[in-house]
Amino acid sequence: MVTTDEKGPLTAKKKSVIIRSCDGDEFLVSESAAVLSTSLKKILEEKEDRLIHLSDIDNKTLAMVIAYLSTHADDGLSDDLKRSFDQEFVSGKEFDVLKYLVLATDTLQVTCLCYTVAKKMADIMKNKLVEWVRREFDIQNDYTPEAEAEIRRLDAWAWDDRQLEDD
Amino acid sequence: MKGNTVRSESDFITNLPNNIIDNILGCLPLRDVVRTSILSREWRYKWTSCPDIVFDFWFDQMFLGGHKLEPLIYQILKLHKGPLLKFALQVPDLKSNPDIDQWVRLLPNNTLQDLTLHVSRGETHNLTSHLFTFQHFRNLKLYNCVFDPIPGFKGFNKLVNLELQRVALCARNLREDLVEHGAPEKLPVSLNMLKTLHLSDMYFEKIEETSCAICFIRSCPNLQRLKITAFTFDVVDSVADFLRSQRSSESLTQLKTVKMQLFSGIEAEMEFVKYLLASATALEEMTITPTPVALPMEESRY
């Protein structure tokens, strides 16, 4: 737990932790930002040591998550600004970046960001042909043609492909 | 980059943890959700744990084609397995019919947080009593229904947003000491979580409607934002008298902002504003937007 006893608010505010990625790089993060991640908060409550090693999150992904946490921990920013930051944060990001980000936010339990990234991933998949999704995400179709035809027959309403995109 | 090497690079998305897949599915339109079943065998039933099921205008207009909606709703609800959080039925031309209750009975009352039922045509729909067994409602939107709680109904105590349009509030099982003007003084349960209330198309000429509004407002001790869109044509003196007779409420201490729209300035509306001003001791902002005045009337005088 954070103790704010004899030091006063100024020192308490400046408290920071060091987070190390799986590539070995270290990031200095304010404690108020780190505790927005439920997992980091739990770790910090349990140990004295202010160094946290994340063995399955790489540099690039960790830097993004930390930028997000720091923005959301900034009391000087209005909720509106934070919301538009969130929008900007995922816009234009490739699926290859998002997929590591979504896993990292899941591991770190940053629920809001995890949801924002999942939503962005859904936006990429929305209104696309099944063939497009399989191709784009390397999903191996292991149905027999008969089994696939049977599913298409069962949910016939869902397979009208007229409004769907293939690019 | 070595991050996340545990998972194979190919078919990354299939191997995501289920909660992430559910989050993604929850953000897709329902048709795309069901269509994931054909991606591969592993995807066959993943969609059945999608937390949101939404049949909306878009679904109806774009995807339904010649197919009938009713069997489809039934089929999807029967197949659904995971903890369902949201169910919305707001397709055009939904008539009151017994199917609606059958669908509501298929919804899980121990997980559902968000329910929208928009009965857009036909008679006011008498809702199944199953509705009152839901324990986790956070958002409840009902259109053209009868709200008739079962005896012993303890309220939806996690409710944050409530939207009722053309909903008949049935007092039969609420309390006995009330019914002078069609609504109780307060609901038997207090809606503690409710912070925002929007009363739209409010007829200030109808005493039943005005008393319902007052009843609701009094039952929300933590209400912070109140919006009322008026829909008034006639002046009815008894409504103003009724409002004048109301004691100011002590349960509006959290109310911060009030917005009144399409305000025509008749006495009943003025009395309503007075009632709010007398009751809401912490009020910070009240915005009153009048009904736009029709200009030709002005010109016709000359």
Side-chain angles (χ1 to χ4, degrees):
Chain A
M1 285 295 287
V2 187
T3 50
T4 48
D5 43 13
E6 72 281 347
K7 300 263 170 61
L10 200 64
T11 349
K13 215 175 174 181
K14 277 189 178 164
K15 272 197 170 176
S16 51
V17 285
I18 296 165
I19 303 177
R20 187 187 292 156
S21 75
C22 68
D23 308 311
D25 285 9
E26 292 181 352
F27 297 79
L28 190 68
V29 187
S30 77
E31 189 163 302
S32 61
V35 296
L36 294 179
S37 143
T38 311
S39 314
L40 292 180
K41 184 167 184 248
K42 278 190 200 138
I43 296 174
L44 289 171
E45 277 167 4
E46 280 161 16
K47 66 181 220 171
E48 288 294 301
D49 184 5
R50 302 278 98 177
L51 174 70
I52 298 172
H53 185 202
L54 298 170
S55 57
D56 55 0
I57 300 178
D58 62 75
N59 263 346
K60 191 174 151 195
T61 309
L62 185 57
M64 282 188 278
V65 178
I66 288 173
Y68 175 90
L69 294 177
S70 304
T71 304
H72 279 259
D74 186 342
D75 294 333
L77 295 178
S78 70
D79 287 348
D80 277 349
L81 276 172
K82 284 176 189 173
R83 263 192 292 275
S84 55
F85 170 85
D86 291 1
Q87 293 290 316
E88 281 294 304
F89 192 74
V90 288
S91 83
K93 282 202 170 47
E94 297 283 325
F95 198 85
D96 270 346
V97 175
L98 295 172
K99 66 187 191 185
Y100 293 116
L101 196 53
V102 82
L103 278 176
T105 55
D106 185 51
T107 309
L108 292 171
Q109 292 175 276
V110 188
T111 322
C112 272
L113 182 57
C114 188
Y115 183 79
T116 309
V117 178
K119 183 167 188 317
K120 176 69 186 173
M121 292 167 100
D123 286 345
I124 295 174
M125 297 166 71
K126 202 175 345 196
N127 295 330
K128 295 293 198 303
L129 282 169
V130 167
E131 291 72 20
W132 183 94
V133 180
R134 284 188 190 135
R135 202 169 55 230
E136 198 70 14
F137 304 125
D138 285 323
I139 299 172
Q140 199 62 45
N141 177 15
D142 53 2
Y143 281 118
T144 61
E146 296 77 31
E148 182 168 337
E150 175 63 11
I151 298 173
R152 284 185 187 262
R153 194 186 61 76
L154 284 176
D155 300 317
W157 62 274
W159 309 108
D160 178 352
D161 286 350
R162 270 173 303 181
Q163 287 105 18
L164 299 173
E165 299 158 21
D166 193 23
D167 50 26
Chain B
M1 202 183 303
K2 285 274 180 278
N4 304 301
T5 45
V6 207
R7 292 172 175 87
S8 78
E9 275 300 313
S10 72
D11 200 358
F12 183 91
I13 194 159
T14 305
N15 295 316
L16 284 171
N18 286 336
N19 62 316
I20 299 183
I21 290 189
D22 287 346
N23 275 347
I24 296 175
L25 291 171
C27 297
L28 284 171
L30 184 57
R31 183 179 66 155
D32 287 341
V33 171
V34 175
R35 287 168 66 92
T36 59
S37 63
I38 214 163
L39 288 171
S40 71
R41 283 195 295 177
E42 209 167 330
W43 280 88
R44 178 70 180 95
Y45 294 107
K46 278 194 195 290
W47 74 269
T48 60
S49 60
C50 175
D52 296 9
I53 295 183
V54 176
F55 295 95
D56 55 7
F57 181 82
W58 182 252
F59 179 85
D60 185 87
Q61 299 292 301
M62 302 298 290
F63 304 147
L64 207 50
H67 302 278
K68 278 193 77 80
L69 180 70
E70 291 79 6
L72 209 124
I73 297 177
Y74 186 74
Q75 182 198 348
I76 288 178
L77 286 177
K78 280 296 254 191
L79 284 171
H80 194 272
K81 295 238 165 38
L84 186 64
L85 301 182
K86 174 177 179 172
F87 180 75
L89 188 55
Q90 43 192 160
V91 293
D93 297 333
L94 180 70
K95 268 194 195 160
S96 168
N97 71 76
D99 286 340
I100 297 177
D101 293 334
Q102 200 186 3
W103 302 327
V104 172
R105 279 192 289 269
L106 284 172
L107 301 172
N109 59 4
N110 54 351
T111 61
L112 198 76
Q113 297 180 357
D114 203 320
L115 175 68
T116 301
L117 277 181
H118 198 139
V119 181
S120 44
R121 288 208 300 144
E123 311 235 312
T124 310
H125 182 72
N126 244 316
L127 281 165
T128 163
S129 56
H130 181 66
L131 184 86
F132 300 99
T133 65
F134 284 75
Q135 301 139 32
H136 298 280
F137 278 150
R138 291 175 55 79
N139 295 294
L140 178 63
K141 297 180 184 175
L142 301 174
Y143 302 82
N144 202 21
C145 298
V146 179
F147 191 87
D148 184 8
I150 49 175
F153 171 57
K154 293 279 193 305
F156 303 123
N157 52 19
K158 295 183 177 163
L159 203 64
V160 180
N161 265 307
L162 177 67
E163 207 173 305
L164 303 176
Q165 267 189 47
R166 288 160 64 201
V167 166
L169 252 187
C170 222
R172 192 158 47 94
N173 289 315
L174 288 179
R175 249 160 71 163
E176 289 157 0
D177 60 338
L178 28 107
V179 209
E180 195 188 351
H181 296 296
E185 185 168 317
K186 266 191 191 176
L187 294 173
V189 282
S190 99
L191 306 169
N192 288 328
M193 295 292 281
L194 199 72
K195 300 221 169 72
T196 308
L197 181 66
H198 180 189
L199 303 169
S200 80
D201 290 357
M202 168 129 180
Y203 289 92
F204 275 96
E205 67 230 39
K206 280 198 178 172
I207 199 155
E208 298 83 4
E209 199 145 325
T210 314
S211 64
C212 273
I214 297 262
C215 158
F216 251 111
I217 293 168
R218 277 193 189 124
S219 308
C220 310
N222 293 312
L223 193 67
Q224 294 180 2
R225 292 169 294 271
L226 173 67
K227 184 168 150 188
I228 293 163
T229 314
F231 194 71
T232 313
F233 297 106
D234 288 324
V235 178
V236 178
D237 290 341
S238 58
V239 179
D241 291 340
F242 163 74
L243 283 164
R244 250 192 303 274
S245 72
Q246 298 301 303
R247 274 175 293 112
S248 59
S249 169
E250 282 159 17
S251 52
L252 285 181
T253 52
Q254 302 298 311
L255 190 63
K256 299 264 174 9
T257 59
V258 173
K259 279 187 184 157
M260 295 202 53
Q261 295 175 331
L262 301 182
F263 191 84
S264 58
I266 60 160
E267 203 185 355
E269 290 175 345
M270 299 300 277
E271 287 301 328
F272 189 79
V273 169
K274 278 194 210 164
Y275 173 81
L276 289 178
L277 289 173
S279 307
T281 46
L283 192 69
E284 290 170 0
E285 192 181 338
M286 180 181 265
T287 319
I288 295 178
T289 319
T291 310
V293 180
L295 281 172
M297 293 278 287
E298 196 75 14
E299 287 164 6
S300 66
R301 273 199 248 155
Y302 300 101

